[in-house]
Amino acid sequence: MLPAVVKLCCGISYPHLRSLAGLQRTAVAVIGKELTHLQRWGRVQPHMSTHGGIKYNAPGPEDVKPLKEDKDFCVKQGQEAMRKALCMLEDTKGWKVEFTESEGEVICSKVVAGAGKVFRLEAVLEASVEELYDLLFVRVEEMHQWNPSIQQIKILKHVGPETIITHEVSAETAGNRIGQRDFLSVRHSRKQKSSVYLGGAAIQLASFPPQAGFVRAEDGPTCIIIQALGDETGKSRFTWLLNMDVKGWLPKFIVNQALPRAQLDFTRHLRRRLTARATLG
């Protein structure tokens, strides 16, 4: 399964991939090859360690990377992810429309050197900039409550008022033929006038290796831009650049079909959450 992000970023888990019945045999075949490959090269380890009550594969000496968890490193990585993502969005050439939905969502895509195919969603949401910032960044650990594609998002570390490190696990659902993913990400926010920018990217920490039974996918650089919609109080323009490497042996055509659908699913769940929040007052 592919997570939806939100990741931001966010955001972010992708259950629709499981519903691609016509592709299930292909997915099973490639996953079987992947597991055989991992076992052959000793990447599936029987020894486990725990972190916060969740079991993880204990990394071997060849897997341990230099520990880079200092504040400056994480903040700079978050800032750089946002900068790169904004550069992708600001380059207006080459975007191709993938979907246009009845509620106004438009998804475009293009191929970016070094990043592959990326997707841009644009929508107008019935919420203020501050409301969306609160849901997607401040209260990101509660995202599983309104997005069924996510099993858990945990803030592992606050490295400043604008930067956090999170671990996300996608939800397991009936009929899953692909398997869950987990993500380790740095998320960075920036407020500017009537806009909020949420950027993110994968980060590697030797102290937090991939979870057993999961493929660790990688976000980014990715970002969400939330902008006040002119004089219309309580409405915001929502722009989301999704850039993801799901890892594993999944065919690209499956991934490229799944990711834009994931953005639509996430936006639909977000709309429902906003409606429920407005009803409760």
Side-chain angles (χ1 to χ4, degrees):
M1 187 192 74
L2 305 177
V5 61
V6 219
K7 208 140 236 97
L8 162 155
C9 285
C10 64
I12 20 207
S13 297
Y14 308 97
H16 55 279
L17 188 54
R18 298 167 174 156
S19 64
L20 301 178
L23 301 175
Q24 287 180 352
R25 291 185 179 179
T26 301
V28 171
V30 297
I31 292 299
K33 290 180 181 178
E34 178 180 357
L35 291 175
T36 301
H37 175 80
L38 293 174
Q39 290 170 343
R40 181 178 302 151
W41 292 101
R43 295 296 298 279
V44 179
Q45 302 292 337
H47 302 293
M48 312 279 282
S49 61
T50 62
H51 185 105
I54 301 177
K55 292 184 176 181
Y56 291 86
N57 284 336
E62 71 281 5
D63 295 322
V64 176
K65 297 178 175 61
L67 187 60
K68 296 181 178 179
E69 298 185 48
D70 62 279
K71 178 179 177 180
D72 289 342
F73 171 81
C74 294
V75 170
K76 288 179 181 178
Q77 188 152 334
Q79 291 172 338
E80 181 64 9
M82 182 179 290
R83 185 192 68 77
K84 289 181 178 179
L86 290 175
C87 285
M88 293 182 196
L89 286 173
E90 290 168 359
D91 183 356
T92 59
K93 296 180 180 178
W95 291 100
K96 174 185 176 183
V97 176
E98 295 271 348
F99 300 103
T100 300
E101 297 295 300
S102 59
E103 289 194 87
E105 294 91 347
V106 177
I107 294 183
C108 300
S109 69
K110 74 172 180 176
V111 176
V112 177
K117 196 168 187 178
V118 301
F119 300 88
R120 183 191 72 206
L121 177 143
E122 293 184 343
V124 173
L125 300 177
E126 298 282 343
S128 68
V129 172
E130 283 298 326
E131 285 179 294
L132 292 169
Y133 172 74
D134 182 59
L135 278 174
L136 301 178
F137 191 81
V138 177
R139 300 168 62 185
V140 68
E141 288 187 315
E142 300 176 15
M143 195 174 288
H144 69 282
Q145 296 176 6
W146 52 268
N147 185 351
S149 304
I150 296 174
Q151 177 176 302
Q152 173 183 281
I153 295 181
K154 185 72 176 175
I155 297 176
L156 303 180
K157 195 171 186 178
H158 288 85
V159 289
E162 300 176 332
T163 308
I164 56 178
I165 296 174
T166 63
H167 178 243
E168 176 182 343
V169 179
S170 62
E172 183 68 49
T173 61
N176 178 21
R177 292 289 188 271
I178 292 180
Q180 295 172 287
R181 257 53 175 174
D182 79 330
F183 292 76
L184 189 64
S185 306
V186 56
R187 304 179 186 226
H188 182 72
S189 68
R190 186 180 78 202
K191 292 184 179 181
Q192 184 176 341
K193 296 182 179 180
S194 58
S195 302
V196 165
Y197 300 84
L198 307 176
I203 191 170
Q204 296 181 347
L205 301 177
S207 61
F208 207 90
Q211 182 175 350
F214 290 80
V215 174
R216 177 156 291 177
E218 293 185 353
D219 276 325
T222 184
C223 80
I224 287 175
I225 304 173
I226 308 166
Q227 298 169 302
L229 193 61
D231 297 329
E232 296 189 57
T233 305
K235 288 188 177 183
S236 300
R237 183 172 302 281
F238 180 81
T239 304
W240 174 15
L241 175 75
L242 179 61
N243 172 21
M244 180 182 294
D245 183 352
V246 302
K247 300 298 184 180
W249 289 52
L250 296 176
K252 285 187 178 181
F253 76 92
I254 293 181
V255 176
N256 289 337
Q257 289 178 4
L259 291 180
R261 288 296 178 184
Q263 289 182 294
L264 295 176
D265 288 346
F266 179 86
T267 307
R268 184 177 70 252
H269 294 311
L270 179 55
R271 287 187 188 277
R272 289 175 180 172
R273 178 67 181 89
L274 294 171
T275 299
R277 189 171 183 173
T279 301
L280 294 173

